[in-house]
Amino acid sequence: MSQEKAALVNTLIRNRRSVFQQQYTGEKVDDAIIRQMLENANWAPTHKLTEPWRFIVFTGNGIQKLAEEQSALYRQVTTAKGTYAEDRYQNLLTKPKLSSHIIAIAMKRDEKKSLPEIEEIGAVYCAVENMYLTASAYGVGCYLSTGGIAHWEEAKPLFNLAPEDKLIGFLHVGNIKGPVPDSRRKPIDEKVTWVDG
C-alpha cells in the first residue's frame, strides 16, 4: 500500500465518529450511499464464509412503522413486567423519525453451528464498522443503538429472526449539521504488551 493510501486509511479510521440523531439535518441521505454502506458491510471478514450479517433498511414511512412496532412491543413487554416508563415509550415512538434511514442489524446463526456464536457476532460487528467507515467517507453521520428492544427475545419475530439468531441493534443514519465533535483515546502503549523472544 502506498504511503498516500495508508494516510487516507489512517485519517478515515481516526475521524470515524458516532453521530447522533440530534446532530442530523432532517434531510434524506441518498439511497446510493446506504447501498454502498451495505455493500462494504458485505465484505467484512467471515470465518468459513458463513456471512452471518442480515440487514433490514427502514426509510420514509418504514421508519414510522418501525417506531410504532417497537414502541408497542416495549409497552406490551414492560407493562407485563411492571417496568413500563412513559418517557422510554415516547422515545421509541418519536426519536426514530429524526433519522434518514434506520438499519436493523442481525446475526443469522449458521444452521450447522460450525462456529462458536461469538465468531458470528464478531463478524457482524466488523460489518458494522465497515458501514461506519463508509458513512464517514461520504460525510454522513451514523451510530449503532443497542438499547430499546434490541436484545429482547420478544423482538425477534418483528425481524423474522429465529430463536438462535441475534438482533444486534439499529444503525441510525443521517446528514450531519455542524462540525462533528473531536474524540480522544488513551495512548496505545497503555494497552499493549510486546513479547519479543
Side-chain angles (χ1 to χ4, degrees), residues 65-181:
K65 180 180 178 187
L66 173 64
E68 291 171 359
E69 288 181 349
Q70 72 174 1
S71 59
L73 180 64
Y74 170 81
R75 174 179 273 168
Q76 174 191 338
V77 171
T78 57
T79 298
K81 292 180 178 178
T83 58
Y84 176 80
E86 180 65 20
D87 60 334
R88 295 196 69 196
Y89 170 80
Q90 288 299 328
N91 279 344
L92 289 168
L93 185 60
T94 60
K95 281 186 76 175
K97 298 171 195 172
L98 299 174
S99 298
S100 167
H101 295 72
I102 300 174
I103 306 170
I105 299 173
M107 181 275 289
K108 183 74 175 167
R109 189 75 166 107
D110 174 35
E111 290 180 8
K112 298 176 185 174
K113 295 187 173 54
S114 56
L115 300 172
E117 183 185 66
I118 193 170
E119 292 190 28
E120 300 281 68
I121 293 170
V124 176
Y125 276 109
C126 287
V128 170
E129 183 65 4
N130 284 2
M131 296 170 82
Y132 260 110
L133 291 170
T134 305
S136 185
Y138 281 100
V140 168
C142 67
Y143 82 97
L144 180 65
S145 170
T146 55
I149 65 167
H151 301 299
W152 291 11
E153 288 298 314
E154 297 91 341
K156 289 180 180 180
L158 292 178
F159 304 96
N160 297 317
L161 298 175
E164 65 271 16
D165 302 335
K166 298 280 185 205
L167 179 59
I168 300 296
F170 301 93
L171 192 74
H172 294 255
V173 185
N175 283 305
I176 305 169
K177 62 181 175 188
V180 175

Side-chain angles (χ1 to χ4, degrees), residues 1-12 14:
M1 181 182 283
S2 71
Q3 289 297 321
E4 293 82 10
K5 286 182 181 177
L8 284 172
V9 170
N10 292 341
T11 299
L12 183 61
R14 291 175 193 176

Side-chain angles (χ1 to χ4, degrees), residues 28-38 57 59 100-101:
K28 191 171 186 286
V29 173
D30 190 330
D31 285 342
I33 293 174
I34 304 298
R35 287 190 186 96
Q36 190 63 64
M37 290 169 64
L38 295 164
V57 182
T59 192
S100 167
H101 295 72

